[in-house]
Structures are given as structure tokens and as C-alpha cells.
């Protein structure tokens, strides 16, 4: 399968290197030091168990890379609007877009579900430009369960996890999901086909929308946050509000917040991605993790005081 990767960071590198090493022709939209590294050498993925290298075609000009059957979008939320046009140019006539991104994606509410009518989210895509360039009909939804980081331009370190859940935005099964899953699986990715990808997206958000921002605000690792009883109490309040929103939009979570936090606590000491972004002075994914669920709750007439408070603090931090 002819594949393009937009976003040669940790997630893009994890997927791109494996897919290229498996024999798929892979193109990468990159710039700066990463572009130079990919043009002059191999793209490398290291883990405790292996080291994989692959040659790819890289350019900062999407027109020079041609058209593709699959385009993987692996940028942070604040960058999606700036690369949407380039990603659209990389799609072939029947090309599929696979957004491997955090939080609520721009297409999430363009499909009616539960009490939520199909509509764009102002917090994610205020003028609808992303949805016009990258419509939901071209998309296969995705949720990544992997821990990775960029160690140097063209070098990604995979620390843990190797899972990718994919599925049709509207639910159910399809031939195209099966075809993409086959390509991903052949590349050594632990791929799962989901008949309800929106539920998977909401569930991952449920676990990320509290630890990430609190880490960015405090500088604390996840274990220290969960070991502070009052911090965990706030986390559970936000999660309960998000669980109620999920029920109204067809993304039901039966698990208890404390039980979910116990799973996170078993991961030990780790620095959530939003903390890493804050320390590096990079834009943080406030809209996708906090603004969007609050907006959905507001549309449904649900009160979210704990989420509101956490969002207000993160707006100040981001500013």
C-alpha cells in the first residue's frame, strides 16, 4: 500500500518506520532537521527488543510526494489546521485518512449520535475548514496505545505498547478497514478492528483528560498526582462529568473512575505528553482534551463545574 505520513514525530515514526520496513512505499511530509535526516539517511525506531531502520521519501512539498492510498495524520491537535491542506493533497482518488491523534478529533461530532446532532465543534474546527478539506467520508478513526518519544531527528524510541485500534467513524465493519488492518498487522503493529471507534476514542480521552493537564500545571509525574488524595478526587469529578457526557452521545463507560485510575497507577512513574509539551514550550492540546468535551456537554445542557475549573487553569497555563 502506498502510504504517506504527515507528522514525523513519535507516533508518526512508530507507524512509518514499521510500515516502510515491511515493504510499503512510504512518503513523509517533514521539514527542518527531521527532513534533512530522512533525506540523508534512514528513519530509525528503537525499542528494548529491536532496532528497525527504513528508507523513506521525504519532502516539505506535498506536491512532490504524489498521491497515496493511505495518509496517516500524526500531528498534535494545534497543528491539524495548518497541515490539513497538505494532507488533502496527498490523498489519492480513493485514498483513506487515518488520524492517529489525541483527544476529540474534528470529525467526531460530524456524525449524529445519541442526543448529539451532526455538527462541527467550534473548539476544534471553528470555521469548518478542516472538515471541508478532510471530510469524514475519507476517514478511518484510530486510537493509538503506545508510548514513544523522538530522541533525535529521524530517531524514535518506543518505550511501551504497540497497539492501534481502527474503525469506521459511523461504526460497523467495512472492507477498507480490513484492508488497512491487514497492512498494519503485516508491519508488526498490534491492530484491533473496532465496530465502535467513537467509544474507543472517548474511553481513551476519559483516561487522558485529567492526568495530562494536571501534570502540565504542576510538573508532577502521573504516580505523584494519583498519590495525592485531593488531586485524585478532582480527577474523579472530571471523569464523572465526562462519563455523563459519554452516556448522552452513545459512548457509554461502565467502569468506575477509581478503577481506571488504579490501572494508570500501575504504569508507575511517567511524564504525560502534555507535561513534556509544557516543558519544551510547545503548544498544548487543550482544545482536544478539555475544550471539546466541555463544548459537547454545553450543547447537551450538562453542567461540568470540575471540568470548567480545570480548563480555566489550563487556559492560563497555555497563555
Amino acid at each position: 500500500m502506498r502510504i504517506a505520513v504527515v507528522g514525523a514525530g513519535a507516533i508518526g515514526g512508530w507507524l512509518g518506520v514499521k510500515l516502510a520496513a515491511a515493504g510499503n512505499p512510504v512518503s513523509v511530509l517533514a521539514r527542518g532537521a527531521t527532513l534533512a535526516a530522512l533525506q540523508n539517511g534512514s528513519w530509525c525506531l528503537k525499542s528494548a527488543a529491536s532496532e528497525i531502520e527504513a528508507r523513506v521519501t521525504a519532502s516539505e512539498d506535498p506536491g512532490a510526494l504524489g498521491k497515496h492510498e493511505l495518509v496517516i495524520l500524526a500531528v498534535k491537535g494545534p497543528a491539524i489546521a495548518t497541515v490539513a491542506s497538505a494532507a488533502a493533497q496527498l490523498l489519492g482518488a480513493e485514498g483513506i485518512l487515518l488520524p492517529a491523534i489525541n483527544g476529540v478529533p474534528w470529525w467526531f461530532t460530524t456524525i449524529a449520535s445519541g442526543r448529539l446532532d451532526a455538527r462541527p465543534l467550534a473548539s476544534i474546527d471553528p470555521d469548518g475548514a478542516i472538515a471541508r478539506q478532510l471530510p469524514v467520508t475519507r476517514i478511518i478513526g484510530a486510537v493509538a496505545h503506545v508510548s514513544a518519544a523522538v530522541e533525535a531527528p529521524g530517531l524514535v524510541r518506543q518505550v511501551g505498547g504497540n497497539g492501534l485500534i481502527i474503525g469506521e467513524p459511523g461504526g460497523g465493519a467495512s472492507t477498507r478497514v480490513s484492508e488497512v488492518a491487514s497492512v498494519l498487522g503485516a508491519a508488526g503493529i498490534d491492530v484491533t478492528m473496532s465496530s465502535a471507534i467513537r467509544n474507543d476514542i472517548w474511553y481513551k480521552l476519559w483516561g487522558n483528560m485529567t492526568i495530562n493537564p494536571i501534570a502540565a500545571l504542576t510538573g508532577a509525574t502521573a504516580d505523584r498526582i494519583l498519590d495525592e488524595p485531593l488531586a485524585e478526587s478532582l480527577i474523579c469529578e472530571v471523569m464523572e462529568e465526562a462519563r455523563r457526557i459519554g452516556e448522552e452521545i452513545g459512548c457509554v463507560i461502565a467502569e468506575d473512575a477509581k478503577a481506571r485510575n488504579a490501572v494508570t497507577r500501575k504504569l508507575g512513574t511517567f511524564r504525560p505528553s502534555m507535561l513534556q509539551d509544557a516543558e519544551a514550550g510547545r503548544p498544548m492540546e487543550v482544545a482536544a482534551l478539555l475544550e471539546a468535551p466541555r463544548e459537547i456537554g454545553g450543547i447537551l445542557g450538562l453542567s461540568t463545574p470540575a471540568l470548567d475549573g480545570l480548563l480555566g487553569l489550563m487556559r492560563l497555563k497555555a497563555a
Side-chain angles (χ1 to χ4, degrees):
M1 184 173 283
R2 186 164 165 74
I3 299 167
V5 177
V6 179
I11 300 301
W14 165 59
L15 293 171
V17 173
K18 288 199 166 194
L19 288 163
N24 300 284
V26 173
S27 301
V28 184
L29 188 70
R31 62 184 181 181
T34 299
L35 174 61
L38 297 183
Q39 287 179 331
N40 297 321
S42 299
W43 207 0
C44 184
L45 176 68
K46 290 185 178 182
S47 69
S50 65
E51 180 173 335
I52 305 170
E53 291 189 5
R55 295 301 297 252
V56 296
T57 301
S59 175
E60 59 184 348
D61 176 14
L65 296 175
K67 302 295 185 181
H68 302 79
E69 297 167 87
L70 178 68
V71 176
I72 296 170
L73 182 64
V75 299
K76 293 292 182 74
I80 293 174
T82 63
V83 301
S85 175
Q89 292 179 60
L90 293 168
L91 282 168
E94 301 296 327
I96 296 166
L97 182 77
L98 188 77
I101 57 180
N102 285 327
V104 177
W106 74 91
W107 59 264
F108 191 81
T109 57
T110 59
I111 299 172
S113 181
R115 288 178 52 211
L116 190 67
D117 294 331
R119 65 171 74 199
L121 289 176
S123 55
I124 301 292
D125 190 14
D127 59 2
I130 300 174
R132 286 193 297 273
Q133 296 175 93
L134 303 172
V136 69
T137 53
R138 305 295 293 274
I139 289 169
I140 288 178
V143 178
H145 288 287
V146 64
S147 177
V150 175
E151 287 196 348
L155 172 59
V156 173
R157 172 75 64 177
Q158 183 178 351
V159 179
N162 190 50
L164 188 69
I165 306 172
I166 66 172
E168 288 290 347
S174 72
T175 301
R176 66 178 192 163
V177 169
S178 297
E179 290 173 347
V180 171
S182 178
V183 172
L184 292 165
I189 295 157
D190 299 331
V191 61
T192 301
M193 290 185 286
S194 172
S195 61
I197 193 66
R198 292 173 75 259
N199 294 42
D200 300 301
I201 289 170
W202 195 260
Y203 182 74
K204 184 178 180 183
L205 170 74
W206 195 57
N208 281 350
M209 66 189 300
T210 52
I211 297 289
N212 260 284
I214 291 173
L217 288 166
T218 64
T221 51
D223 57 318
R224 290 179 58 204
I225 292 168
L226 290 172
D227 284 346
E228 166 50 56
L230 296 180
E232 192 194 14
S233 178
L234 172 61
I235 287 169
C236 289
E237 289 179 27
V238 175
M239 292 176 75
E240 176 58 24
E241 292 171 0
R243 190 186 61 78
R244 291 201 304 271
I245 295 170
E247 287 180 349
E248 298 293 335
I249 62 174
C251 298
V252 177
I253 296 174
E255 190 176 2
D256 175 76
K258 281 189 172 292
R260 179 67 180 84
N261 290 339
V263 174
T264 303
R265 186 63 186 83
K266 290 178 181 178
L267 299 177
T269 300
F270 69 91
R271 297 166 63 253
S273 61
M274 195 175 277
L275 171 58
Q276 297 177 47
D277 289 339
E279 291 177 341
R282 295 188 293 260
M284 293 178 288
E285 297 181 298
V286 179
L289 266 64
L290 297 173
E291 296 270 11
R294 179 177 185 262
E295 182 180 353
I296 294 171
I299 293 169
L300 299 172
L302 299 176
S303 176
T304 55
L307 174 56
D308 293 355
L310 184 57
L311 172 58
L313 294 173
M314 277 306 299
R315 283 175 175 173
L316 293 171
K317 177 67 174 178

